[in-house]
Amino acid sequence: MTAELVEIPGYVAGTWTIDPLHSDVGFTVRHLMVSKVRGRFGTFEGTIVTGEDPLDSSVNATIDLASIDTGIAKRDEHVRSADYLDVEKYPTMTYRSTGVRPDGGDYILDGELTLRGLTRQVPLKLEIGGFGPDPFREDDPFKGARAGFTATGEISRLEFGVGDTAKVPGGSGLGLGEKIQIILEIQAALRTE
């Protein structure tokens, strides 16, 4: 068996800071088995380390769960409660990668997600958007080289103790779907210090 050489056009090895102004941490979940509710978290931070070999790269990120926004303040307040995220007891969710592997033309980012004090393996499908300079933002605290990534995945909210298993009245499905789709659009800035 021979090792596969990974080449990414414009690739830059280094340590990157996730830029929250140009990134989005979102999710979707089925509601009443007929539609999907979308939401996002507005406050998050993280570090990406791109290794000399892209397969030696890593990610660490923290999300402030109180920053949830589904577009309805009353629903957000309920989701923050002990019925769901219990942000008073568990204010953050974290993700720590454990490896990167090729998957066709893209990659799989293996990692551990910790939510409500429980840690589970959560692989994310990773698409590399690219690497390049940011010559137009000299006043930006994240000036310099930029990198872009899209990551998607799925978790079972029940595996993390989020919500209940109440059924839709007269139906066989859950009022709130078990599976939560994760959609991450991440832009990061190369650290220069």
Side-chain angles (χ1 to χ4, degrees), residues 98-163:
T98 57
V100 181
R101 54 190 160 94
D103 182 47
D106 292 318
Y107 301 88
I108 298 293
L109 180 66
D110 291 311
E112 299 173 336
L113 180 73
T114 301
L115 175 62
R116 288 181 57 112
L118 300 170
T119 301
R120 304 285 185 257
Q121 294 294 319
V122 176
L124 299 173
K125 184 172 178 60
L126 179 65
E127 174 188 333
I128 298 173
F131 293 81
D134 184 4
F136 305 109
R137 304 291 301 243
E138 290 188 21
D139 62 333
D140 187 333
F142 296 108
K143 65 184 175 183
R146 295 289 179 140
F149 308 92
T150 299
T152 56
E154 179 179 270
I155 64 169
S156 163
R157 66 178 178 82
L158 300 179
E159 287 182 8
F160 290 96
V162 175

